[in-house]
Amino acid sequence: MTAVSSDAPTDLTGLAGRATSTRADTRETHQRLIDAVQAWVATHGAPPERLADIAAMADVSTATAYRHFASHDDAIQAFVLQLPIRAVERFTESGGTTDDPVESFARWNRAWVDACVEHGELAVHLRSPIGFLQRRDEHDPVIEYACAQIEPLLEQLDGDTTMMLFMWNVTSDPREVLDLQRLGWSPDAIADFVTRAVLATPPATGAPTA
Amino acid sequence: MTAVSSDAPTDLTGLAGRATSTRADTRETHQRLIDAVQAWVATHGAPPERLADIAAMADVSTATAYRHFASHDDAIQAFVLQLPIRAVERFTESGGTTDDPVESFARWNRAWVDACVEHGELAVHLRSPIGFLQRRDEHDPVIEYACAQIEPLLEQLDGDTTMMLFMWNVTSDPREVLDLQRLGWSPDAIADFVTRAVLATPPATGAPTA
């Protein structure tokens, strides 16, 4: 169960774009391009459609941007990853997994809700039209990263892990978390609702066994 | 409980755009513009951003398009409405409400899943970044129309209607329905899962009472 925190750095290297240099100015440019995705979404309410747009927003040449990201989709992915990365950080700060599987899962949901409150307002504009389980099967890197955190927690609980994963995804979507927050719910109340909704996932009778 | 079918025509008049004429050629143009939204999404994988684009796709002048819709958002809304309208049609065909509230809700979910299978593949590209409950509070016409169908069904069930509505929305989203269908689930199995997930909605302890 230590996988949750120790996997993170390994996974991220491959996910955060092309840059492998550790020179400070290169890392700074990399971060500036990721921040430019955020600025673009905040300005336009929609994801950027060309890497050149992101480069211009970051005040970086398009050629330089291509040394960091293969495409605008790559840069968007690096931005979207900040939400689960932040959730993992907060989960680790809160003590991570415990001997009690339900408590561990509840802690994760609290960390996730906090990350949504911090980063979610822009993430809602970047939702994929492709389903969560399909993207997991197709090895979408962001989904794989998130599942690497959640699945070990779900496997400790009674029930069908895939259906609990489905239920976790739909109830903890940043859009829904922010919807409940707007109604005046506390992060604790939202996280508690997600935890109990997943624990109450009905069995998938009549469905083919995956 | 007859509201489900009898409300539909009343609501739709105000929602389907500006056209009030009943002349056949006007109705035909209206439908051609709605179909053009669908064609645009199918071609571009994203919603149209100008009414002129929709007009061009429909082979209609922009001026004519503005006689039918105030904006591209209006035309998109008319297209998105086709999914709940189709669900209401199928629900009515299946016999509508019964004396058994759970059976009535299960029938609605089956009608909804069928409508998603028919229309959902394009609807997933048109998801709003704003939460479902917020859009209901802001009287978004499509959400109000859907809620007018579902809330009377939920009110017959034990539990917190708002939270059951929240749970219904997240589990029955066309994207999720199509995700389960791709895994080989039958429409019956998907609808049954939605019904049971909503019936298992946990109470919203710790949240402010709405």
Side-chain angles (χ1 to χ4, degrees):
Chain A
M1 297 306 301
T2 53
V4 170
S5 44
S6 66
D7 270 6
T10 320
D11 287 335
L12 297 183
T13 315
L15 291 175
R18 286 178 161 170
T20 49
S21 165
T22 52
R23 279 176 52 205
D25 58 344
T26 304
R27 283 203 312 274
E28 203 181 290
T29 304
H30 197 78
Q31 188 58 46
R32 218 154 82 200
L33 287 162
I34 294 176
D35 293 344
V37 174
Q38 176 160 355
W40 181 278
V41 174
T43 308
H44 297 83
E49 293 184 6
R50 304 179 316 152
L51 191 56
D53 295 333
I54 300 169
M57 200 115 203
D59 206 12
V60 157
S61 76
T62 304
T64 299
Y66 274 105
R67 282 202 291 276
H68 290 268
F69 298 105
S71 68
H72 67 291
D73 280 334
D74 262 25
I76 291 171
Q77 184 176 95
F79 168 65
V80 172
L81 255 179
Q82 295 193 316
L83 201 159
I85 288 171
R86 186 70 189 118
V88 169
E89 283 172 3
R90 294 205 68 123
F91 184 58
T92 306
E93 283 163 21
S94 76
T97 52
T98 71
D99 289 343
D100 178 350
V102 174
E103 171 60 22
S104 301
F105 181 54
R107 271 192 196 178
W108 165 263
N109 285 326
R110 178 57 205 263
W112 175 265
V113 168
D114 285 341
C116 286
V117 169
E118 282 178 43
H119 285 286
E121 206 157 339
L122 295 166
V124 295
H125 294 283
L126 300 169
R127 180 183 150 109
S128 167
I130 304 168
F132 183 80
L133 296 177
Q134 179 172 356
R135 282 182 290 158
R136 187 187 60 148
D137 292 351
E138 290 172 357
H139 304 287
D140 173 307
V142 174
I143 302 299
E144 282 208 322
Y145 175 70
C147 287
Q149 319 308 319
I150 306 154
E151 287 188 273
L153 299 171
L154 296 178
E155 280 161 8
Q156 303 283 316
L157 302 171
D158 291 331
D160 179 328
T161 301
T162 301
M163 289 321 296
M164 288 193 289
L165 190 62
F166 175 89
M167 191 64 96
W168 181 81
N169 174 60
V170 298
T171 54
S172 74
D173 187 291
R175 191 182 75 160
E176 322 309 340
V177 168
L178 297 179
D179 203 17
L180 294 179
Q181 189 195 29
R182 187 193 53 86
L183 289 181
W185 289 44
S186 68
D188 267 332
I190 301 168
D192 189 46
F193 183 79
V194 172
T195 300
R196 285 178 299 126
V198 172
L199 291 174
T201 304
T205 54
T209 48
Chain B
M1 296 310 300
T2 53
V4 169
S5 45
S6 66
D7 271 6
T10 320
D11 287 337
L12 296 183
T13 315
L15 290 175
R18 286 176 161 171
T20 51
S21 164
T22 52
R23 281 176 51 206
D25 58 344
T26 304
R27 284 203 311 273
E28 203 181 290
T29 304
H30 196 79
Q31 187 58 47
R32 218 156 78 201
L33 287 162
I34 294 175
D35 293 345
V37 174
Q38 174 159 358
W40 180 278
V41 174
T43 309
H44 296 85
E49 293 183 5
R50 303 178 317 150
L51 190 56
D53 295 334
I54 300 169
M57 200 115 204
D59 206 10
V60 157
S61 76
T62 304
T64 299
Y66 273 105
R67 282 202 290 279
H68 290 268
F69 297 106
S71 69
H72 66 290
D73 279 333
D74 261 27
I76 290 171
Q77 184 175 94
F79 167 66
V80 171
L81 256 178
Q82 296 194 314
L83 200 159
I85 288 170
R86 186 70 188 118
V88 168
E89 284 173 3
R90 293 205 69 121
F91 184 59
T92 305
E93 285 163 20
S94 76
T97 52
T98 71
D99 288 342
D100 179 349
V102 174
E103 171 59 22
S104 300
F105 182 54
R107 271 193 196 177
W108 165 261
N109 285 326
R110 178 56 206 262
W112 176 264
V113 167
D114 285 341
C116 287
V117 169
E118 281 178 43
H119 285 285
E121 205 156 341
L122 295 167
V124 295
H125 294 283
L126 299 170
R127 177 183 153 110
S128 166
I130 303 169
F132 183 78
L133 296 178
Q134 179 172 358
R135 282 182 291 156
R136 187 187 60 148
D137 291 352
E138 291 173 356
H139 305 287
D140 174 307
V142 175
I143 301 300
E144 281 209 322
Y145 175 70
C147 287
Q149 320 307 318
I150 307 154
E151 288 189 273
L153 299 171
L154 296 178
E155 279 160 9
Q156 304 283 316
L157 302 171
D158 291 330
D160 178 329
T161 302
T162 302
M163 290 321 297
M164 288 193 290
L165 190 61
F166 175 90
M167 191 64 98
W168 180 81
N169 175 60
V170 299
T171 55
S172 73
D173 187 290
R175 191 183 74 162
E176 323 308 340
V177 167
L178 297 178
D179 202 19
L180 294 178
Q181 190 195 29
R182 186 193 53 87
L183 288 182
W185 288 45
S186 69
D188 267 333
I190 300 169
D192 189 45
F193 182 79
V194 172
T195 301
R196 285 179 299 124
V198 172
L199 291 174
T201 303
T205 54
T209 50

